[in-house]
Amino acid sequence: MTRHRAITALVGILCTATLQTAGCAATQQVQVVSALEARNVTEALAAYERMREAEGADSALLARIAALILESEALADNHPTQDASFSQLTAAGTAAHPTLQRLADDDAHPRQKAHALSILASHGDAAARAELRALLDSDDSDIRAYALASVNVVDDAPTLAAALAHTSGAVRLAAANVSAQGPLVPELVLALTDASRNDPLPSVRAACVRALSRGGSEAVEALRERLSDPSEAVRMAAVGALAVADRVRAREILTSLLAMGPNSASIEAARVLAMPIEGDDRGVVDARAFLLRGLRAAEPALRTQSAVALAGLPSDASMNDTLLSAMENDADASVKLLLAATMLTHVGAEQRARAVLHSLFAPMSMNAVQAAAALAKEHDREAMHVLAVALRESNAAYRRVSARAVARDAMLPDLVRRALADEDAMVRIVTAGAILSAESAR
């Protein structure tokens, strides 16, 4: 055989092998798509593994499998997994839209349909909003609650006021949340004020308080009253709502809380007061001093709240030094973790924050996993190792946090694909949501 004929034969062999490989990969890809169209999650995952072995990872196909998992779990006869799936779809961005649209078209599952329509309506989908309005009189309280996403705060104030007195807590909560989205008319202010005082559910009272912040100075007295609510969540909401309603009067009212010593409401009040109002820094020094005292509170939760509040203020060298010292010396690992994760974004503090996060990697614990997750965006080698180990731990909570960090924060969704078949439904759901979020971010 001449040299020319030998080269020609070799090229022919290589081309044939290449076509066979491409054909095999194409066949595997078709099998993934076929399984997706058949709504068969198990086969889609198996076909993806075969395709990946032949051709490599495909983030778009993996995201489609993740979306199918969330759709399947949303349709399952289990309220916690339904809610978790919709929560992930809500947060997943544009990649979740086709799935939400399918659920919104599913007449066989009316509650899930209404839930999907409410999410689409909140994203500005006029058709979804119109379809929801037809469900406002539904006998199903969950559907009625979702349908409230279709109303206009001003034009439909009577509808919202009536919903605030409904027998279903879900309807009342939805009405309060929708009321917070626009200016308040007198009828709605009265209904919200009454519900903020008398509703049996703290979550509804807190939502009403947040909505009343839209009432401006006229709502101040009603909000001041809720500073003594028996629920801490309501008291905290009242502090923030006062600052939104009337910042000047809020300063006068909230200053008195600082005399109570550190508690969740007084620390939140100090956080509000520590921010100057258009150059007026009266009370700022005292509020910051109060937050600094909060770093020495006996309860770790109060120390953490104080630290996070301080870290959110305009940065200065003295404040950074204080926070870094607290970060390195606090006896509670959860306080160190939250401070380090916060200080990681402060210029000049990054190296010391990373060192503290690294110090939390062992022994394996939720603090260790969360510390590693804080460094996932940087693809920190030791952090990624901790996350990889956590993915194999028996503790499902570790697996959830790790899968989320690797897929969404590190933007390496293919590395957690096997968690889509985890025995724990919440691990599957969180992993699917993270993969879908990563696809939206590309």
Side-chain angles (χ1 to χ4, degrees), residues 47 53-54 83 97 105 123 145-146 157 208 227 273 300-301 323 345 352 366 381 387 393 412 418 442:
E53 185 70 23
D83 291 342
H97 188 272
D105 293 336
H123 293 168
Y146 295 133
C208 289
L227 291 173
L273 294 169
L323 290 171
T345 63
R352 289 169 69 178
M366 181 54 77
R381 184 173 180 177
L387 294 173
E393 285 285 327
L412 297 170
R418 291 193 172 88
R442 290 186 185 279

Side-chain angles (χ1 to χ4, degrees), residues 36-37 39 63-72 74-75 86 89 95-110 112-117 120 125 131 436:
L36 286 167
E37 291 175 349
R39 328 305 292 160
R64 289 183 61 185
I65 297 173
L68 176 58
I69 289 171
L70 290 177
E71 182 178 346
S72 300
L75 294 174
F86 274 109
L89 287 167
H97 188 272
T99 302
L100 287 169
Q101 193 61 62
R102 275 195 301 275
L103 290 166
D105 293 336
D106 187 353
D107 294 326
H109 298 86
Q112 289 93 330
K113 175 185 178 77
H115 199 163
L117 284 170
L120 291 172
D125 188 319
E131 193 169 353
L436 210 55

Side-chain angles (χ1 to χ4, degrees), residues 79 183 205 221 295:
H79 280 290
R205 297 201 303 277
E221 289 309 312
L295 293 176

Side-chain angles (χ1 to χ4, degrees), residues 59-323:
S59 64
L61 268 183
L62 186 61
R64 289 183 61 185
I65 297 173
L68 176 58
I69 289 171
L70 290 177
E71 182 178 346
S72 300
E73 297 288 359
L75 294 174
D77 189 21
N78 182 300
H79 280 290
T81 56
Q82 283 180 25
D83 291 342
S85 298
F86 274 109
S87 177
Q88 293 296 327
L89 287 167
T90 301
T94 55
H97 188 272
T99 302
L100 287 169
Q101 193 61 62
R102 275 195 301 275
L103 290 166
D105 293 336
D106 187 353
D107 294 326
H109 298 86
R111 289 188 185 184
Q112 289 93 330
K113 175 185 178 77
H115 199 163
L117 284 170
S118 71
I119 298 170
L120 291 172
S122 71
H123 293 168
D125 188 319
R129 186 177 294 274
E131 193 169 353
L132 273 178
R133 285 194 72 87
L135 302 175
L136 282 170
D137 295 325
S138 173
D139 292 333
D140 187 305
S141 59
D142 288 335
I143 292 176
R144 186 185 289 236
Y146 295 133
L148 286 170
S150 68
V151 306
N152 178 279
V153 177
V154 175
D155 296 340
D156 298 308
T159 300
L160 288 170
L164 286 166
H166 197 273
T167 56
S168 165
V171 172
R172 300 196 305 274
L173 181 60
N177 286 332
V178 172
S179 298
Q181 297 172 10
L184 303 182
V185 301
E187 178 180 7
L188 195 49
V189 170
L190 288 173
L192 286 166
T193 300
D194 181 65
S196 73
R197 292 170 177 160
N198 302 314
D199 197 283
L201 297 179
S203 59
V204 175
R205 297 201 303 277
C208 289
V209 163
R210 287 189 289 270
L212 281 169
S213 70
R214 309 284 296 191
S217 58
E218 294 181 4
V220 166
E221 289 309 312
L223 294 173
R224 184 210 293 259
E225 183 183 290
R226 301 283 30 97
L227 291 173
S228 58
D229 193 279
S231 165
E232 180 180 286
V234 178
R235 297 194 299 271
M236 292 278 285
V239 171
L242 276 166
V244 174
D246 189 325
R247 186 68 181 272
V248 174
R249 291 185 64 189
R251 181 173 57 195
E252 299 167 359
I253 295 167
L254 297 179
T255 298
S256 64
L257 294 182
L258 305 191
M260 300 168 57
N263 59 50
S264 58
S266 62
I267 291 172
E268 174 63 8
R271 184 192 67 80
V272 171
L273 294 169
M275 299 294 292
I277 309 171
E278 297 178 354
D280 181 357
D281 60 359
R282 287 177 296 170
V284 167
V285 173
D286 288 343
R288 291 192 177 194
F290 184 89
L291 291 174
L292 289 170
R293 289 199 300 276
L295 293 176
R296 301 190 296 274
E299 297 177 42
L302 296 181
R303 300 202 300 275
T304 298
Q305 186 185 353
S306 298
V308 172
L310 286 164
L313 298 177
S315 181
D316 65 61
S318 175
M319 191 71 70
N320 278 354
D321 287 343
T322 301
L323 290 171

